[in-house]
Amino acid sequence: MLKRNRWIVRASICATVSRNRWDLGRRGGRIVQNIITVLALSAGAAFAASVDHERDTVINIVTQIQRADYEGDRAALQRLYGELAPFVEDKELASRVRYWRGFALWRRALNGFNDSVDPKELEQDMTQAVREFDESTARDPGFVDAKIGAVSCLSNLMYLNQKNPARVQELMAKGAPLAKEAEAAAPENPRLLWVLGPNRWYAPPERGGGQDKAMALYEKGLESARMHKDAASDPLEPSWGEPELLMNLAWSNLNRTTPDLNAAEQYARSALALVPYWHYVRDILLPQIQNAEAAKAKDK
């Protein structure tokens, strides 16, 4: 009887130990699984935080680029172009990063026209800007604004190479299809209409050009910009255009065959109301309009 009880006790102890080992193993497995889950969630959160940080960094640089453009700060535009370099291969951001790099050089060159910069330097900036816009399009073929930027740069390159007919033909062969693609995809895009306006201004009437037609484009673009003003929510998506169209309407009214100086000043001041620190409008265009007004008053 004693031996039997000892056997029962041993069997009970073994069963208890086995059960405890199984429970420990099961709990241990759950603990390991929980640890793996926590680590995976932590890694995912860290990755998401890293992505958000990169995006915020790019947005900050883009904001500075736009301000530097209006301020006419060509040195800052060159520096900020370089600061976007670490993000050019980011799968999520590459297309827009390339666009804003192109934008920085494009606007560096446009501001350079006002500062009498060496045409060779302007050509270098415009040429590299076209490469950036091409890279942006390669990563997102449906991104119209990259094509618009390229069209403007190519038009300015034609102007810089006007004494070289072969080069002009080469540039036109690249720019014309891009313009048609942009017009077909987004005919109401205010930035497209802003870019097409100067070409329409200088084109002869038999080719659909003329001052009135150019100004009609600017008016149409201005209406479109205002209509879609609140639609843009992503800072990396181009939404500029309204101040630029106001500026071109001011310039056009000043330089048209029969100037309308009152309209020119109104448009210039409307542009400055949106961008008070705009160097070109504040320090160059508006004084030109005021000088013309003073000269007209003197002639009366």
Side-chain angles (χ1 to χ4, degrees), residues 198-214 257:
N199 296 339
R200 195 69 56 86
W201 178 276
Y202 292 109
E206 59 271 20
R207 290 175 50 195
Q211 295 178 356
D212 289 341
K213 291 189 176 181
T257 304

Side-chain angles (χ1 to χ4, degrees), residues 243 247 267-269 271-272 278-287:
M247 177 272 290
Y267 281 122
R269 293 197 180 279
L272 285 175
W278 194 348
H279 164 63
Y280 170 68
V281 177
R282 183 191 62 201
D283 304 324
I284 299 174
L285 181 58
L286 187 56

Side-chain angles (χ1 to χ4, degrees), residues 58-68 80 100 235-236 277:
V58 170
I59 289 171
N60 181 51
I61 296 171
V62 166
T63 301
Q64 293 180 65
I65 286 172
Q66 291 178 288
R67 184 171 185 110
L80 293 164
W100 289 109
L236 295 184
Y277 47 86

Side-chain angles (χ1 to χ4, degrees), residues 6-266:
R6 286 175 179 171
W7 181 87
I8 292 172
V9 169
R10 285 199 301 272
S12 177
I13 292 171
C14 289
T16 300
V17 169
S18 296
R19 186 169 61 252
N20 287 342
R21 285 176 178 172
W22 184 82
D23 288 342
L24 181 61
R26 183 174 60 180
R27 288 198 300 273
R30 283 202 297 265
I31 290 170
V32 170
Q33 184 60 44
N34 287 341
I35 291 172
I36 292 172
T37 301
V38 169
L39 289 174
L41 291 173
S42 298
F47 176 75
S50 175
V51 169
D52 288 343
H53 175 70
E54 288 188 359
R55 180 179 174 79
D56 288 344
T57 300
V58 170
I59 289 171
N60 181 51
I61 296 171
V62 166
T63 301
Q64 293 180 65
I65 286 172
Q66 291 178 288
R67 184 171 185 110
D69 165 34
Y70 288 126
E71 291 180 339
D73 191 341
R74 298 181 67 253
L77 288 168
Q78 181 68 57
R79 172 177 56 79
L80 293 164
Y81 164 79
E83 288 185 12
L84 285 176
F87 308 99
V88 295
E89 298 302 331
D90 186 296
K91 291 182 180 179
E92 298 297 323
L93 302 174
S95 175
R96 299 320 185 252
V97 167
R98 290 288 192 174
Y99 170 82
W100 289 109
R101 274 167 63 86
F103 182 94
L105 294 182
W106 174 23
R107 296 314 176 87
R108 185 172 188 269
L110 290 183
N111 278 288
F113 279 106
N114 299 324
D115 297 338
S116 300
V117 171
D118 184 344
K120 291 182 180 179
E121 184 176 343
L122 301 179
E123 183 168 6
Q124 182 178 351
D125 281 343
M126 289 286 187
T127 300
Q128 182 57 34
V130 171
R131 294 193 188 104
E132 295 293 342
F133 290 133
D134 286 347
E135 288 290 341
S136 176
T137 300
R139 287 163 171 74
D140 184 358
F143 183 34
V144 174
D145 273 278
K147 297 175 183 178
I148 293 171
V151 168
S152 178
C153 290
L154 291 163
S155 296
N156 281 284
L157 285 169
M158 282 189 275
Y159 170 76
L160 290 170
N161 287 274
Q162 56 189 297
K163 293 182 180 179
N164 184 348
R167 177 64 172 150
V168 168
Q169 288 300 316
E170 177 187 346
L171 294 164
M172 187 178 295
K174 179 177 175 64
L178 286 176
K180 288 182 180 179
E181 289 174 21
E183 287 186 85
E188 306 294 321
N189 185 306
R191 292 165 296 282
L192 173 63
L193 299 175
W194 180 73
V195 163
L196 295 179
N199 296 339
R200 195 69 56 86
W201 178 276
Y202 292 109
E206 59 271 20
R207 290 175 50 195
Q211 295 178 356
D212 289 341
K213 291 189 176 181
M215 293 175 71
L217 274 186
Y218 296 142
E219 292 284 4
K220 181 179 177 182
L222 185 60
E223 181 182 354
S224 178
R226 288 171 171 170
M227 188 181 302
H228 299 95
K229 193 170 186 177
D230 299 325
S233 58
D234 186 346
L236 295 184
E237 295 298 320
S239 61
W240 57 270
E242 183 179 2
E244 288 78 4
L245 287 157
L246 288 166
M247 177 272 290
N248 271 43
L249 282 164
W251 184 93
S252 298
N253 277 287
L254 171 63
N255 290 281
R256 64 188 302 179
T257 304
T258 306
D260 185 340
L261 299 179
N262 288 332
E265 182 165 354
Q266 283 186 334

